[in-house]
Amino acid sequence: MERRQFIKGMVAAPVVHAVSPNVVLAANSKTNESLILNLKRFNAALEQHPELIGFKGTETNLSPQELTIEGKLPTDLTGQFYRNGPGRHHRQKERYLHLFEGDGMVHRFSIGNHKVRHQAKFVRTDKFKQEEQAGKYLYSGPDSKLANSLPIPSPDSINTANTNVLPVNGELWALWEAGSATAIDSNTLNTKGLVNIGEDTPNEQSLKGLPFSAHPKIEADGTIWNFGYAQSGHVVLYQISRFGKLLNVGMINTGFKGGMLHDFLITERHLILLMPSLKRNRTIEGHFSSIQFNAQQAMEVFIIDKQSFNTVKRYELEPGFVFHFGNAWEDKQGNIHFDASLYPNGEVLQHMTKIMQGSDNVPLSPANTVLFTLYKNGKVRKRIVDGISEFPRIYSHLTGKQNNKLFTLSSVQSDVWSDSVRRIDLNSEKQDTYTYGKDFLVEEHVLVNQNNKESGGYLIGTALHIPSKRTCLNILRADDVSAGPICRAWLPHVIPLGFHGNFMPTVQAKGY
């Protein structure tokens, strides 16, 4: 069978990451009661625990406004910092049960001319527009089941576009995991519509609605690599030009049916897929609720040739769970090195459910940065770096090549969210850390650097200040993280805690 026909057949396969029509139709009237109860429970908890304010969500777009500057804004830092995350968690009297379910909201921080301006808009997906007009939820989510949910014929019927945002050829792609990217105007933040990855290729129709992950990898020349995980265990592989045009597509059958594959890696010659130690318990209702950690299940690594999309080698690692990777690279001997924010179990998924239900006292086994080496002879070595670790970033021009610096969030005082940012020297493991303190909930910080060196530049990221109920954009020097922010730009209010983002320099914004 030709590859194109085989991929086309996946449209009929069980690719829905969240829910299927059959599950929705099986829901009973009592399921809506759990969403109503959840809103009451969260609001009551918020009165006692102000640190939950970042998970409340918002109901409206946020109009453009100039922020209050504290410190000195660097004159050589100009451009747009975009970030995405679930912005709306409830409608009427119903509140979603899991953090991943909320409708996506894209934020834009415009930096330049000694000013920082902010605006934010919901991604107006088909789901969002229908529910906005109705004034209530119409579709079941991965864990939140509605008694009278509308049918879900494809993943894009419930696409929330809520996980990441990627600048592509002058526009933005709001990324989910289970379905298509959504195009957004980079200046107005107006939603354009779903991206058809196969447009103007023989795959134009067959790729519509297929999973497209929220963690593409971008090489120095702008080439975009991505994957899409289907519940059948198949993984679609994409190679896309810097202009957003499909160059190559393929698929492998990993046999992995654990329910979640969030991130991946590339080297100069290979794609790397790591299957965490997860399994689905189909007797438990709800997608995320049914994902269980299996302490006897090894993590399996697939090494895939970039040219042929064929699996060339497989490795087994000790059981664990990974959301995010920083980078991978291949040495002259053919050994592969990569880092992972590795969890010892899958408690973090349940942690996100408990937070949405108003509990801030949830036991959690945090992730550590772990450095892996996959030797060509089949052996494996791992090295654990001290400290809690998540949301790893590197200097972007080194994606797929050897990097010596890794930037991550960490947690020193907070059990709810990250409260620190740090730089790790991967050779010496020396760390340079700045701790915001227990009064802050710190979000992903991205690296901004245009000199193509593994030094200099800035770290940019948002943090929520709990006592004042305000969010600030923070700018730190990447070479001196422990000195803390050299500039803060304050919003007069809280914005919902999100997930991922990227920076578009002014030079790109004008003619990328």
Side-chain angles (χ1 to χ4, degrees), residues 56-62 83-91 102-107 119-125 127-129 132 137 160-162 174 182-184 188-192 496:
K56 181 179 180 180
T58 185
E59 298 181 42
T60 61
N61 292 333
L62 304 176
R83 47 155 291 212
N84 193 2
R88 182 151 196 170
H89 297 300
H90 74 270
R91 286 186 183 274
D103 294 294
M105 172 173 260
V106 174
H107 299 257
Q119 72 174 122
K121 290 184 178 181
F122 285 107
V123 185
R124 294 185 63 83
T125 62
K127 168 190 178 295
F128 180 88
K129 288 186 291 186
E132 189 78 352
Y137 288 129
T160 51
N162 69 359
T182 302
I184 294 174
T188 65
L189 299 186
N190 291 336
T191 303
K192 294 182 174 182

Side-chain angles (χ1 to χ4, degrees), residues 287-357:
H287 178 79
F288 297 116
S289 299
S290 71
I291 296 175
Q292 305 289 307
F293 182 77
N294 184 358
Q296 283 72 51
Q297 179 180 327
M299 294 191 295
E300 190 171 14
V301 182
F302 289 73
I303 310 299
I304 301 160
D305 183 84
K306 274 184 172 180
Q307 301 300 317
S308 66
F309 284 159
N310 291 326
T311 300
V312 296
K313 199 170 183 63
R314 292 163 71 166
Y315 293 82
E316 284 194 354
L317 307 180
E318 294 177 359
F321 173 67
V322 178
F323 265 130
H324 302 117
F325 304 99
N327 190 42
W329 58 279
E330 203 161 345
D331 62 28
K332 293 180 180 179
Q333 290 73 43
N335 306 313
I336 293 175
H337 309 261
F338 69 94
D339 68 89
S341 291
L342 180 67
Y343 292 88
N345 53 48
E347 289 177 355
V348 64
L349 290 173
Q350 283 67 48
H351 181 75
M352 293 179 182
T353 298
K354 295 297 184 182
I355 282 180
M356 284 292 288
Q357 296 176 3

Side-chain angles (χ1 to χ4, degrees), residues 224-243:
I224 303 168
W225 299 87
N226 205 2
F227 76 98
Y229 167 67
Q231 296 299 301
S232 62
H234 293 85
V235 175
V236 189
L237 306 169
Y238 306 93
Q239 181 187 11
I240 301 166
S241 79
R242 66 188 181 95
F243 301 108

Side-chain angles (χ1 to χ4, degrees), residues 362-373:
V362 185
L364 174 66
S365 298
N368 296 105
T369 290
V370 178
L371 308 178
F372 287 97
T373 300

Side-chain angles (χ1 to χ4, degrees), residues 98-117:
H98 198 280
L99 185 59
F100 288 169
E101 296 183 297
D103 294 294
M105 172 173 260
V106 174
H107 299 257
R108 180 186 189 223
F109 294 86
S110 301
I111 304 172
N113 297 321
H114 310 288
K115 298 178 181 179
V116 177
R117 292 180 62 81

